[in-house]
Amino acid sequence: MISNLRVRLTVIYGGLFAAFVAVLFGVSYWLMGRHLHRTLGDAAADAAQGQLGLQYLLFFAGAVLVAGALGWWLAGRELRSMQAAFDARERFVANASHELRSPLTVIRTEADVTLADPDADVAELRAMGAGIVGAVDDMDALLDGLMVLARSGHGLSAVEPVDLAAAARA
């Protein structure tokens, strides 16, 4: 998958560069042909333009090879940074799901153990409720942290000047 994408990106980058060079050479060839036909005789101008065309083709072939190599390098660099971002996101999602599962496990265990006891009294039910409330508070704090993290990519909502000397004294 990644190598297929790298080849596609290389073709796009290299193709764009090759098209740019082809247009540049085409315009240059046309202008040189006009200049040669004005300054030389037709036979000499045709011979000079033929040699110029051969040189342009050789240089264009070299430019296509360089474009391919640069496109391959650039595509690899972009794909490495994308892969690193995907890996970081995957680790974050795994960690977040693990951290959210812990309070849910506490809630489930508290409820299952207390409800499985047919002789549970009001004190045990209140203790279960307190355990569940604590786990819900932990989950709420985790979700608040996730929301702050999600909003952190959107920039600051307000910017205020701060007296650093006063802050350091405090």
Side-chain angles (χ1 to χ4, degrees):
M1 167 75 180
I2 296 272
S3 63
N4 188 18
L5 185 58
R6 188 173 187 180
V7 169
R8 288 180 181 186
L9 287 173
T10 299
V11 169
I12 290 170
Y13 298 149
L16 288 173
F17 182 74
F20 173 74
V21 169
V23 168
L24 186 67
F25 282 169
V27 169
S28 174
Y29 184 78
W30 177 71
L31 289 173
M32 284 300 295
R34 288 185 58 200
H35 175 71
L36 289 173
H37 280 284
R38 275 191 306 232
T39 58
L40 301 174
D42 283 339
D46 287 341
Q49 194 171 8
Q51 285 181 340
L52 183 65
L54 180 61
Q55 290 173 355
Y56 274 17
L57 284 176
L58 289 174
F59 188 76
F60 180 69
V64 167
L65 290 175
V66 169
L70 286 174
W72 183 260
W73 174 77
L74 185 60
R77 194 179 94 188
E78 287 183 13
L79 290 174
R80 275 189 301 278
S81 66
M82 283 176 40
Q83 187 64 44
F86 285 135
D87 290 345
R89 187 191 74 185
E90 190 173 309
R91 284 190 308 274
F92 172 76
V93 168
N95 287 337
S97 65
H98 174 72
E99 291 298 323
L100 288 171
R101 187 170 305 277
S102 296
L104 288 174
T105 302
V106 169
I107 291 169
R108 170 66 75 170
T109 303
E110 287 280 345
D112 285 347
V113 168
T114 305
L115 293 176
D117 183 6
D119 298 326
D121 61 1
V122 173
E124 290 175 336
L125 291 173
R126 286 189 187 276
M128 175 195 65
I132 288 175
V133 167
V136 168
D137 288 343
D138 291 345
M139 189 180 300
D140 190 41
L142 284 170
L143 291 174
D144 285 343
L146 288 174
M147 290 303 293
V148 167
L149 186 62
R151 285 190 214 117
S152 68
H154 295 67
L156 299 175
S157 59
V159 178
E160 298 177 15
V162 174
D163 183 9
L164 292 179
R169 279 191 299 270

